[in-house]
Each structure stands twice: as C-alpha cells, then as structure tokens.
Amino acid sequence: GPGVSCLSVFDRATICNMGTETGATSSLFPSDHQTYRFLKSFGRNKDWMALKADENATYDDMVTINLSEIEPLVAMPHSPDRVKKVSEVEGISITQIAIGSCTNSSFKDLTIAAHILKGKTIHPDINLVVSPGSRRTLSGIAESGTLASLIHAGARVLENTCGPCNGIGQSPESGGHSLRTHNRNFKGRSGTQDAHVYLASAETAAASALFGCITDPRKMGSYPAISLPESFPAHPDMFIRPATEPERVTVSKGPNIKPIPLSTPLPYRMLSPVELKLGDHITTDHILPGGSHMLALRSNVPASVPYVFSRIDPEFAARADTLPEQWAVVAGENYGQGSSREHAVMVPMSIGMKLVIARSFARIYRRNLINFGVIPLVFQDPEDYHKIDKNDLLVLNDLEKQIEADTVKVFNKTKNFSFMTRGDFSFKEKVLIRNGGLLNYLKFKFSPVS
C-alpha cells in the first residue's frame, strides 16, 4: 500500500526486528526508492535493484492497517507483545530510560530523540542512557550535532552494544521502572529480577525523559521535521578484511571458547522420561537466561549448563549429572518465545534433551530444535497435554518411518496410554532430523570420501 513507501529503511528495520520478537519467522519489504536512498547514502547505490511481490501474488491472509490510525504504543512488563496504547498507561512513574540497542538505535531514531530534547533538560529523577546502533551511527550523530543535543539534555552515551538490553550494566534498582526502546523486556533480563521494564519508541522515550513518567509524545506538538543526510561517514577500516590465504590462518581460541556440541543421528527407538512439564509462553530467557553472567559464556556451552531452566526450576542444573541419556520436555502454547534461541537449544541438548512435545512452538525456536537434532512434536489433540506429568516415561518406536509420515505415535509407559503427535516437517527438516541436526548433516555432506 501507499503507506509502505513513506517508511524509511530505518523504520522498516524496527518493524522487522519486533516482528521476530512476537513470533514472525521473517518480515519482507519491497526494495524501492527508500532502499535506493539508503544504499546510496552509504555509497552502495550500485548494489540496488528493485524487488517487489508479483502483481498477481496470492496470500494466505491479508491484514489492512491504516497508518494514520496508529497511536503510540508501549509494551508492558514482561513481554514484547503485551502492548497497550501510551494514552492508556500515561503517567506511570519511571526512573530510567534507555534509548538504543539493536532496535531503535539508528541515525533517524537518535536524531528524533535529540530533536525532542534539544534545548531542554531531562527530569531530575530520570537516568537517560543512549546506545548508538553502530560505530558509523555514532560518527554520524557526532558530525550532525545530534550527539551534542543528547548530552546537553542530560543523556549519558554508552558504547555501541546490546548493553542494558541484556543486563550488561544499567540494571534498574530493585522494583524500579525502566522505559526502553529495546525489543525484549522478559522478567529479569535487565539484570534486576523484580524490575518493571516497558518498551516504547524513541519518540515516547524522549518525551517521557522530560516529564519523568510515561508520556504520549504527541504532547510535544507536531512531529519533528528531520532530514536524513545524503551520505554517512565512511570508515574503510571498520571491518576486518577477508584473509587472502585462508588455508594459512590459525584460529586462536581462549579457554572460554569450547566446541559446539553435536547431537546424534535419529535412533530407531527413543525412551524419554519427561524431566520438565512447562506451561504456556515459556521464553528462551526462561530456558536460558540472559544477563552479564551468561553473555560471557556464549561460547562455552558446558559452563552454561548451571543456568539452564534456572528461572523455572532452580534445582534443575543440580540434576544434570543424573539425567538420562535422552529426556523430554512437555510444554504448552508458544514454547520458545523470544531471542537467544540457539543457546536455549544447544545447552539443554548437550545434556540429553532430545524431544520436546508442545501444544505449539515459537517458529524460530522450533527450527533451531531441528537444527540441533532435537525432535519438536505438536499434540494432535491439545487436551493430551493434561494427561502427561513430570517423570512419565515416553516411548517412540520406528522413528524414521513415523517422522517421514509426519505423525508420531507416543506411548506413555507410565500411564499405559498412547497419544498422537504431528511434526509438520518439510523435506529438508526431515533430512536434518535423520542426521541429528544441521552441523551433522554438513559434516557428513562435505567430509572427504576415503
């Protein structure tokens, strides 16, 4: 529709980013004059090409959105999709505001915030921090004067990193209220277990910084008239150049970098006790929490084991050494919501999680289960979820044949009844499951034949 043409690449990036957080596998925009303008501003206009849907394309569903009817929104604690209109929650007192991270940290976002704050001073109760999205963005706002406006208003500028979003500094005070332009606000992710984190746009964040409470940015008058630069500063030394002779390169690894764990090929028979039975909307932060302590272990899966499922069952990791070789998780709706999906699969898989049966999955998490050789199955009858308890022993026979047929019969040996599940696997997913995951598949495919 005509509304799309007015959205800059920066706007589209935020929409795509938040789409992932609320369950979308991917989001697509056409490549048009906005894309050309963006690439040209970075000296890459020769890379542009027009891309759009076919005129006669058909879709499974159509949703019509009138952009002029959209009000500023805020995500309430503790989920990105718990959204309300800012006008409905206006006045909630806050003490911290964070603008930046990966979602609303572009040149445009920071320029709008600076325009709202220019010549003013933030509320005395507010601690405002800004994380530019990249080194080039930081350089751009420094040269345009945007950085000065932010600093003069009372903002503190952090490095170009996830920072507060993942609990790396700036954790709110206990019980505190923090408004952030980030894409996640799961309980405890900020580094403070009892903090209340709200998510909003750069416009809402800047207006709220002036009043000390969640504030509708429309109170600031007409929308800021800003213009994007024709070109952004070029820094040719920003990236490491590819090796000219890669075969001579030695990768040095510190003691905190361990190999990625691999699963095993699909067995004929699986006996899996249910080690965890979980409810609806379990996020990847529930499965493996974020925060500074975990970020340092992203390349060390064995050292991450003590944290797995710690927000659900603090004693779970203590049982890791006594877990059987294969075990299962049973869950409700939307299992695996949120980010850090690979580690939330890798770590429990490394200690024997080979099967997850849920009423439904967050789609990217489901795909990563398959990528790491863990079988994701969906209850054919959702009511069967209530018939299974922790410690029940589940038996699955003739797995390759059943996976190929896309329906898997599961026998609950403890309670002596069977129930049906479905896989909804694509051809490629079936291949990956048979091989025990993507890395095993690639290892087999590209290994030299002796």
Side-chain angles (χ1 to χ4, degrees):
V4 172
S5 64
C6 73
L7 297 175
S8 70
V9 169
F10 303 114
D11 299 322
R12 298 175 187 186
T14 295
I15 293 170
C16 292
N17 195 320
M18 291 309 303
T20 300
E21 294 306 320
T22 52
T25 302
S26 62
S27 304
L28 299 175
F29 280 93
S31 176
D32 54 14
H33 67 285
Q34 294 282 9
T35 320
Y36 178 81
R37 180 181 181 185
F38 176 82
L39 288 173
K40 184 181 178 182
S41 68
F42 291 100
R44 296 181 53 200
N45 46 300
K46 292 183 179 180
D47 294 331
W48 178 85
M49 68 171 63
L51 291 170
K52 64 179 181 178
D54 296 338
E55 295 296 338
N56 60 346
T58 58
Y59 302 91
D60 288 339
D61 195 12
M62 295 281 286
V63 178
T64 301
I65 299 172
N66 188 331
L67 297 183
S68 65
E69 296 175 355
I70 294 178
E71 294 188 26
L73 303 172
V74 60
M76 308 294 286
H78 300 280
S79 178
D81 58 4
R82 191 170 172 239
V83 177
K84 293 187 177 181
K85 296 177 180 179
V86 172
S87 58
E88 295 174 349
V89 298
E90 197 170 17
I92 294 178
S93 180
I94 49 179
T95 57
Q96 182 198 61
I97 294 177
I99 300 175
S101 190
C102 65
T103 311
N104 292 281
S105 58
S106 69
F107 180 92
K108 180 181 180 182
D109 295 312
L110 302 186
T111 300
I112 289 173
H115 186 99
I116 294 171
L117 296 171
K118 187 174 183 179
K120 305 178 182 70
T121 304
I122 63 174
H123 191 279
D125 294 339
I126 291 292
N127 172 25
L128 172 62
V129 295
V130 176
S131 304
S134 68
R135 177 178 172 182
R136 183 171 272 172
T137 297
L138 177 59
S139 180
I141 63 173
E143 294 184 13
S144 69
T146 294
L147 182 61
S149 295
L150 292 170
I151 294 173
H152 294 161
R156 291 189 293 127
V157 180
L158 309 179
E159 61 267 47
N160 316 322
T161 181
C162 297
C165 180
N166 201 29
I168 312 300
Q170 312 305 316
S171 296
E173 72 273 20
S174 183
H177 289 242
S178 177
L179 179 67
R180 303 178 169 201
T181 69
H182 305 162
N183 54 0
R184 301 157 203 148
N185 61 339
F186 303 131
K187 186 176 177 63
R189 182 180 175 85
S190 67
T192 306
Q193 285 297 319
D194 60 350
H196 301 270
V197 176
Y198 303 80
L199 305 180
S201 64
E203 293 88 337
T204 299
S208 302
L210 295 174
F211 289 89
C213 60
I214 295 178
T215 302
D216 192 326
R218 293 174 295 183
K219 287 190 173 180
M220 305 303 297
S222 59
Y223 195 83
I226 65 166
S227 58
L228 298 176
E230 292 296 321
S231 63
F232 287 91
H235 296 283
D237 61 335
M238 286 176 64
F239 303 104
I240 299 174
R241 299 297 175 190
T244 55
E245 299 179 79
E247 66 279 358
R248 299 182 61 181
V249 173
T250 300
V251 179
S252 300
K253 298 180 181 179
N256 196 37
I257 299 178
K258 305 297 182 185
I260 295 176
L262 299 178
S263 186
T264 54
L266 184 69
Y268 172 82
R269 190 169 191 250
M270 183 179 289
L271 283 78
S272 297
V274 178
E275 292 294 334
L276 285 167
K277 183 176 182 183
L278 308 174
D280 296 337
H281 305 295
I282 297 297
T283 72
T284 50
D285 269 36
H286 286 113
I287 301 168
L288 192 72
S292 56
H293 54 292
M294 273 305 307
L295 192 65
L297 302 176
R298 279 299 195 246
S299 297
N300 191 339
V301 168
S304 302
V305 169
Y307 301 97
V308 68
F309 292 112
S310 59
R311 290 187 177 170
I312 298 171
D313 180 359
E315 305 301 320
F316 182 84
R319 309 200 310 269
D321 292 337
T322 63
L323 290 170
E325 185 176 346
Q326 296 177 345
W327 49 272
V329 171
V330 171
E333 300 282 356
N334 195 28
Y335 185 69
Q337 176 189 357
S339 61
S340 302
R341 298 171 179 88
E342 287 188 339
H343 290 78
V345 172
M346 276 194 290
V347 178
M349 181 276 291
S350 73
I351 55 174
M353 185 185 77
K354 296 294 189 288
L355 173 67
V356 181
I357 306 177
R359 298 179 80 168
S360 67
F361 288 95
R363 284 174 284 181
I364 298 178
Y365 185 82
R366 173 189 174 276
R367 182 53 193 247
N368 275 314
L369 286 170
I370 295 170
N371 283 346
F372 285 96
V374 182
I375 305 173
L377 297 174
V378 176
F379 288 102
Q380 199 154 314
D381 180 357
E383 292 305 308
D384 285 335
Y385 164 84
H386 299 291
K387 301 176 184 177
I388 303 172
D389 294 309
K390 182 182 174 183
N391 297 323
D392 284 1
L393 180 61
L394 307 181
V395 182
L396 297 79
N397 288 314
D398 201 0
L399 268 172
E400 184 169 343
K401 182 178 179 180
Q402 292 208 81
I403 293 291
E404 188 62 34
D406 248 352
T407 55
V408 178
K409 184 178 182 179
V410 182
F411 177 61
N412 187 324
K413 189 173 182 180
T414 304
K415 293 191 170 68
N416 194 31
F417 77 93
S418 297
F419 60 95
M420 297 303 298
T421 65
R422 67 179 194 274
D424 299 326
F425 301 119
S426 67
F427 172 80
K428 182 177 180 180
E429 289 173 340
K430 292 175 183 177
V431 171
L432 297 184
I433 290 173
R434 286 198 302 269
N435 282 272
L438 178 60
L439 294 179
N440 277 335
Y441 168 73
L442 294 174
K443 184 178 180 181
F444 171 78
K445 183 176 181 178
F446 294 107
S447 292
V449 178
S450 58

